[in-house]
């Protein structure tokens, strides 16, 4: 799927302003429920990421991939792999706060993903290594 910079989904997902662009991807073998359930979860995740990184909700992009074929420690009980990418704001204090928030959101029903069955990768990307709108964030 390719989106143009004028597409409202791009505008609401990732912005070019200073310090923008956090994105969270969650892969899980759990069934995340209906589209309304997923929208509710994405809204909560957006707020957790924005608050944890000190960035506006409008900068945050969330991608959910549910019903994946996954195994953790020989078990197919609910588990998740998460990746949070940001231009800046990735640091010990923010990562600890976000890890706690994400773990709380994922353990709630209907997901029931226990905190010890979820890895969260925090990745700080340099501005020259992230593109948007036909340019890099460095210019």
């Amino acid at each position: 799927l390719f989106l143009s910079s004028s597409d409202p989904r791009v505008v609401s997902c990732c912005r070019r302003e200073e310090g923008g662009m956090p994105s969270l991807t969650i892969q899980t073998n759990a069934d995340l429920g209906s589209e309304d359930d997923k929208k509710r979860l994405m809204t909560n995740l957006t707020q957790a990421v924005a608050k944890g990184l000190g960035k506006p909700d409008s900068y945050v992009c969330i991608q959910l991939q549910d019903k994946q074929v996954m195994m953790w420690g020989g078990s197919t009980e609910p588990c998740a792999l998460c990746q949070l990418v940001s231009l800046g704001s990735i640091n010990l204090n923010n990562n600890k706060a976000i890890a706690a928030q994400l773990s709380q959101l994922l353990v709630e029903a209907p997901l029931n993903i226990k905190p010890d069955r979820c890895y969260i990768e925090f990745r700080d990307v340099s501005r020259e290594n992230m593109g948007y709108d036909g340019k890099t964030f460095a210019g």
Side-chain angles (χ1 to χ4, degrees):
L1 176 66
F2 293 94
L3 304 175
S4 75
S5 61
S6 62
D7 190 303
R9 292 173 290 181
V10 171
V11 173
S12 67
C13 180
C14 304
R15 297 199 181 245
R16 190 171 157 69
E17 289 88 345
E18 183 66 33
M21 194 263 121
S23 65
L24 174 67
T25 301
I26 298 177
Q27 299 176 2
T28 181
N29 57 350
D31 182 345
L32 300 180
S34 70
E35 290 303 309
D36 286 341
D37 291 337
K38 291 175 187 174
K39 286 178 185 176
R40 215 173 1 266
L41 176 59
M42 287 189 292
T43 298
N44 291 336
L45 292 166
T46 295
Q47 292 168 352
V49 168
K51 181 180 178 185
L53 295 177
K55 298 185 180 196
D57 289 3
S58 61
Y59 287 14
V60 178
C61 185
I62 305 290
Q63 180 184 28
L64 300 176
Q65 299 173 359
D66 67 341
K67 301 183 219 171
Q68 300 295 299
V69 179
M70 297 175 69
M71 180 178 279
W72 186 298
S75 168
T76 58
E77 288 181 38
C79 60
L81 297 173
C82 306
Q83 183 180 67
L84 179 62
V85 179
S86 182
L87 296 172
S89 300
I90 299 292
N91 59 57
L92 180 59
N93 288 336
N94 289 352
N95 296 357
K96 287 167 81 172
I98 292 168
Q101 277 289 302
L102 292 183
S103 294
Q104 181 59 44
L105 289 170
L106 294 178
V107 78
E108 293 174 2
L111 304 178
N112 300 315
I113 300 170
K114 297 174 186 170
D116 65 352
R117 293 186 56 80
C118 178
Y119 283 134
I120 306 168
E121 176 188 0
F122 297 92
R123 193 156 42 102
D124 193 353
V125 177
S126 61
R127 300 178 73 71
E128 64 270 12
N129 291 327
M130 182 59 63
Y132 169 73
D133 198 19
K135 306 175 209 63
T136 70
F137 280 82

